[in-house]
Amino acid sequence: MLHIINKSPLANNALDSCLRVAQSGEILLIEDAVYAATAGNAFEGKIRKALERFRIHVLQPDLEARGLADRVIEGVSPVDYGGFVDLTTTNKTCQSWL
Amino acid sequence: MLHIINKSPLANNALDSCLRVAQSGEILLIEDAVYAATAGNAFEGKIRKALERFRIHVLQPDLEARGLADRVIEGVSPVDYGGFVDLTTTNKTCQSWL
Amino acid sequence: MSNIKKFMFVNRKAPYGTIYALEALEVVLITAAFDQDVSLVFLDDGVYQLKKGQQTKGIETKNFSPAYRALEGYDIEKLYVEKESLEARGISEEDLLVDVTVLGRAEMGALMDQQDVVLSF
Amino acid sequence: MSNIKKFMFVNRKAPYGTIYALEALEVVLITAAFDQDVSLVFLDDGVYQLKKGQQTKGIETKNFSPAYRALEGYDIEKLYVEKESLEARGISEEDLLVDVTVLGRAEMGALMDQQDVVLSF
Amino acid sequence: MKFGIVVNEGPYQHQASDTAYLFCKAAIAKGHEVWRVFFYHDGVNNASRLTEPPQDDRNIVNRWSKLAEEHGVDLVVCVAAALRRGIKEENLAQGFRISGLGQLVEAGIKTDRLVVFGD
Amino acid sequence: MKFGIVVNEGPYQHQASDTAYLFCKAAIAKGHEVWRVFFYHDGVNNASRLTEPPQDDRNIVNRWSKLAEEHGVDLVVCVAAALRRGIKEENLAQGFRISGLGQLVEAGIKTDRLVVFGD
């Protein structure tokens, strides 16, 4: 399953909830959730740990908009909108943690 | 100053931010923030600690709507909309932590 | 029907502060009419939707919580609540309006993985 | 003018995910025209509004971050950023588009207490 | 006292408009004046005369119109925010007027207290 | 593949409608079909033909209308959600139609993937 998160991890519990409940699969960070993919963010440790269980992707255009494309945590893969589409096709279902 | 919070403390960082930045004054919990005023919530410890620095109020009609009027943490004062108005007049300013 | 899918509705938001809980319920009721396999999940603040004793007169808004009790009449009987979400809020099964199945977080995650369509509110 | 009030605009939300940052800026610019005492505060994800290097072509949305640089031309020079918010996000003063005053949380709280009107976004 | 109110979210989706309205009613009941309610961001959607909630639900837009009529509350919709969201004279409910952001600043200056309701 | 899309927030206030649109364009560019976009909650406000963003900003409503015209995407606005928020035939933009929640369920049944964008 593809888990889509769109909230900053320091403002909202969506990513925390996803990591608590989902056991494995893929995660895509979009919109304000891209901050979770950046090194130096207080959430970085949780992302590094989550990388042991999940493949984690981040929407590159949203990172660029926020001026943080050069700070992606190692192991998190940037994708464009086409890559986003591909992730929804290679996974049987997707869930947006709104 | 009156600090108005309207977000659940387990979903959003608004109350946490307020407690970090504001040093004293009064806090009013409204809308989904009334959950912070209830005993048994994981945030209860932080509220008890905050009561040492702040006077904390909770909007009673919002508690009743959510079926939790019987669980208010000791030391937190329920107010109705009239009480809400009074709090905005007795404090020189108010800030909504949206 | 040959075309039955597993629909899961994930409720993560508290009632009244926003409209999501109410409008989610409206979708659920419609879905029942399509003879699909319907599950409702309550996570995080979503568990508050099922709290007994909601009295909305003071906020001049309609109390929609009785509708959860009506779900059974629409053959919607799979209601799941996450144990960890209840505990973090000091809410027990006795506090809830309806009978639910309480699942631990890992069981809940496994259940999500079995779905065909997940709508989250 | 005899009627000068201290206006504080508290920015706590990230840009682009929601419109609050952009529409807050529109209020700030108007307020300048009223000759009030204006302060801008950036807390929590609001500090991201000031991040250098925003490139919004990929999301097909206007990059409004240059407007923060224009504030000085409107005599809006009191920009405060909370130290703890920067640290939690791994953002340094050098990462910011404009010169700001960095305050610790207690100093920030004290500054808020001195205001007449606080608008929070 | 003289109050200014700011509403930042549209009707029904968030509780902000409901709470703001009940606050205004309580303030008036206590003898205060609600001088102006300024609708900003999605708050401008509170001014749509086309809303039609279910019969058993509150009518948020009409409640505001009635408050304006009965208590002379000035309901101002931000023009820039309104244009972005499709609120114009042609779908504006009774008692509302469209004007600039300066009206919000003026409310901050001329009232004793400005209270913000949003998300 | 055949996609169904759900948009739960209005234009401009949240990024949801932008992301959904860019997702649809990318899906179509890859040869997929976007069968239906269902607008729910405040998402119904994406269908207002009265929106008028600043000249230098994107026109979210027109973009959706154009997508419908050029690629036959079915843009459906939930009638119950729309009535609450003042979206009716008289202010409905081109390419949108108003219908019931059943259209959302149908999208879940008939498409290969349903992707939700919201807040």
Side-chain angles (χ1 to χ4, degrees):
Chain A
M1 179 185 260
L2 176 67
H3 301 277
I4 303 169
I5 313 285
N6 74 339
K7 300 284 189 314
S8 165
L10 302 186
N12 181 284
N13 72 340
L15 181 50
D16 261 322
S17 290
C18 171
L19 296 178
R20 183 183 74 238
V21 173
Q23 301 304 303
S24 61
E26 302 199 69
I27 294 174
L28 174 63
L29 305 168
I30 67 170
E31 300 174 357
D32 286 347
V34 301
Y35 294 117
T38 61
N41 187 294
F43 208 83
E44 183 178 353
K46 290 188 189 176
I47 290 290
R48 290 194 182 276
K49 211 156 166 230
L51 281 166
E52 298 166 11
R53 289 191 291 141
F54 297 92
R55 277 197 289 174
I56 306 183
H57 311 268
V58 59
L59 195 57
Q60 176 81 3
D62 274 325
L63 266 177
E64 288 169 0
R66 291 157 180 84
L68 288 161
D70 56 348
R71 300 220 181 165
V72 179
I73 294 169
E74 210 190 315
V76 176
S77 328
V79 295
D80 59 9
Y81 288 99
F84 182 176
V85 172
D86 292 342
L87 284 169
T88 62
T89 62
T90 53
N91 284 277
K92 200 190 115 207
T93 47
C94 62
Q95 174 173 187
S96 299
W97 292 72
L98 301 177
Chain B
M1 179 184 260
L2 175 66
H3 300 278
I4 303 170
I5 313 284
N6 74 339
K7 301 284 189 314
S8 164
L10 302 187
N12 182 284
N13 73 339
L15 181 51
D16 260 322
S17 291
C18 172
L19 295 178
R20 182 184 75 239
V21 173
Q23 301 303 303
S24 61
E26 302 199 70
I27 294 174
L28 173 63
L29 305 168
I30 67 170
E31 301 174 359
D32 286 347
V34 300
Y35 294 117
T38 60
N41 187 295
F43 207 84
E44 183 177 353
K46 290 187 189 177
I47 291 289
R48 290 197 181 275
K49 213 159 164 227
L51 281 165
E52 298 167 11
R53 289 191 290 142
F54 297 93
R55 278 198 289 175
I56 306 183
H57 311 267
V58 59
L59 195 58
Q60 176 81 2
D62 275 325
L63 266 178
E64 288 169 0
R66 290 158 181 83
L68 288 161
D70 57 348
R71 301 221 181 164
V72 179
I73 295 168
E74 209 191 314
V76 175
S77 330
V79 296
D80 60 9
Y81 288 100
F84 182 176
V85 172
D86 292 343
L87 283 168
T88 62
T89 62
T90 54
N91 283 276
K92 200 191 116 206
T93 48
C94 61
Q95 175 173 187
S96 298
W97 292 72
L98 301 178
Chain C
M1 274 181 76
S2 62
N3 205 353
I4 293 188
K5 282 191 175 182
K6 285 179 193 278
F7 274 75
M8 176 178 275
F9 296 91
V10 181
N11 296 285
R12 292 186 51 247
K13 290 174 184 165
Y16 307 114
T18 53
I19 203 172
Y20 304 104
L22 166 62
E23 291 191 329
L25 203 46
E26 293 180 354
V27 186
V28 168
L29 294 174
I30 299 283
T31 308
F34 280 75
D35 293 320
Q36 302 296 302
D37 179 312
V38 175
S39 302
L40 265 70
V41 158
F42 298 86
L43 286 186
D44 299 317
D45 284 349
V47 304
Y48 286 132
Q49 294 176 24
L50 301 179
K51 178 71 182 65
K52 272 183 194 159
Q54 299 176 28
Q55 299 286 351
T56 57
K57 212 179 153 209
I59 61 168
E60 297 188 15
T61 298
K62 192 185 161 189
N63 175 3
F64 62 93
S65 67
Y68 294 104
R69 286 216 178 100
L71 290 173
E72 218 180 341
Y74 291 85
D75 292 326
I76 296 172
E77 291 170 343
K78 297 184 193 172
L79 274 64
Y80 303 96
V81 174
E82 192 212 18
K83 188 166 166 280
E84 287 77 4
S85 294
L86 286 176
E87 287 172 356
R89 286 156 188 81
I91 303 288
S92 67
E93 269 188 82
E94 293 70 49
D95 288 325
L96 304 182
L97 280 160
V98 284
D99 288 336
V100 300
T101 303
V102 177
L103 297 179
R105 61 197 182 91
E107 295 168 289
M108 188 64 92
L111 187 69
M112 284 177 177
D113 280 333
Q114 296 162 21
Q115 305 301 312
D116 296 310
V117 178
V118 182
L119 280 158
S120 159
F121 295 91
Chain D
M1 274 182 72
S2 62
N3 204 353
I4 294 186
K5 281 191 175 181
K6 283 178 195 278
F7 275 73
M8 177 179 275
F9 297 91
V10 181
N11 296 284
R12 291 187 52 249
K13 290 175 184 162
Y16 307 115
T18 53
I19 203 171
Y20 304 104
L22 166 62
E23 290 189 332
L25 203 46
E26 293 180 356
V27 185
V28 168
L29 293 174
I30 300 283
T31 309
F34 280 75
D35 293 320
Q36 302 296 302
D37 178 313
V38 175
S39 302
L40 266 70
V41 158
F42 298 87
L43 286 186
D44 299 316
D45 283 349
V47 304
Y48 285 132
Q49 294 177 24
L50 300 179
K51 178 71 181 63
K52 273 182 192 158
Q54 298 175 29
Q55 299 286 350
T56 58
K57 211 179 153 209
I59 61 168
E60 298 188 12
T61 298
K62 193 184 159 189
N63 176 3
F64 62 92
S65 67
Y68 295 105
R69 285 216 178 99
L71 290 173
E72 218 182 339
Y74 291 85
D75 292 326
I76 296 173
E77 290 168 344
K78 297 185 193 170
L79 273 66
Y80 302 97
V81 174
E82 191 212 17
K83 188 166 166 282
E84 287 77 3
S85 295
L86 286 176
E87 287 171 356
R89 285 155 188 82
I91 303 287
S92 67
E93 269 188 82
E94 293 70 47
D95 289 324
L96 304 183
L97 282 159
V98 285
D99 288 336
V100 299
T101 303
V102 177
L103 297 179
R105 60 197 183 92
E107 295 168 289
M108 188 64 91
L111 186 69
M112 284 177 176
D113 280 333
Q114 297 164 21
Q115 305 301 312
D116 296 311
V117 178
V118 182
L119 280 158
S120 159
F121 296 90
Chain E
M1 273 194 178
K2 198 168 171 174
F3 279 93
I5 304 291
V6 183
V7 178
N8 289 336
E9 298 295 329
Y12 304 105
Q13 185 98 341
H14 295 89
Q15 205 186 336
S17 179
D18 290 287
T19 307
Y21 169 77
L22 293 167
F23 180 93
C24 288
K25 273 217 316 188
I28 292 166
K30 281 188 168 272
H32 298 297
E33 178 191 0
V34 177
W35 185 62
R36 176 173 293 162
V37 182
F38 190 85
F39 296 88
Y40 197 37
H41 305 299
D42 266 5
V44 300
N45 291 324
N46 284 286
S48 168
R49 66 165 177 76
L50 297 176
T51 64
E52 212 176 280
Q55 296 283 342
D56 59 349
D57 201 354
R58 77 264 189 221
N59 190 316
I60 294 181
V61 175
N62 287 358
R63 284 195 317 200
W64 283 117
S65 294
K66 219 171 133 192
L67 198 77
E69 194 189 335
E70 291 176 1
H71 302 282
V73 179
D74 187 19
L75 306 179
V76 182
V77 175
C78 170
V79 60
L83 282 173
R84 271 193 190 101
R85 293 166 179 89
I87 300 295
K88 291 179 173 168
E89 291 298 341
E90 64 188 280
N91 60 344
L92 197 70
Q94 219 167 359
F96 291 85
R97 65 188 179 91
I98 297 175
S99 188
L101 270 173
Q103 305 275 311
L104 167 55
V105 184
E106 193 193 21
I109 296 170
K110 293 205 175 159
T111 63
D112 300 302
R113 297 289 185 274
L114 193 69
V115 189
V116 182
F117 296 89
D119 177 47
Chain F
M1 274 194 175
K2 198 168 170 175
F3 279 94
I5 304 292
V6 183
V7 178
N8 289 335
E9 298 294 330
Y12 304 104
Q13 185 98 341
H14 295 88
Q15 204 185 336
S17 179
D18 290 288
T19 307
Y21 169 78
L22 293 167
F23 179 92
C24 290
K25 273 218 313 186
I28 291 166
K30 282 188 169 273
H32 297 297
E33 178 191 0
V34 178
W35 186 63
R36 177 174 292 161
V37 183
F38 191 85
F39 297 88
Y40 197 38
H41 305 300
D42 266 4
V44 301
N45 291 323
N46 284 286
S48 168
R49 67 166 177 76
L50 298 176
T51 62
E52 211 177 281
Q55 295 282 341
D56 58 350
D57 201 354
R58 77 266 189 218
N59 190 315
I60 293 180
V61 176
N62 287 358
R63 283 195 318 199
W64 283 118
S65 295
K66 220 172 132 190
L67 197 77
E69 194 189 335
E70 292 177 359
H71 302 282
V73 179
D74 187 20
L75 306 180
V76 182
V77 175
C78 170
V79 60
L83 282 173
R84 271 195 189 102
R85 293 165 178 90
I87 300 296
K88 291 180 174 166
E89 291 297 340
E90 65 189 279
N91 60 344
L92 196 70
Q94 219 166 359
F96 291 85
R97 64 187 180 91
I98 298 176
S99 188
L101 270 173
Q103 305 275 312
L104 167 55
V105 184
E106 194 193 20
I109 296 170
K110 294 206 175 158
T111 63
D112 301 302
R113 298 288 186 275
L114 193 69
V115 189
V116 182
F117 296 89
D119 178 47

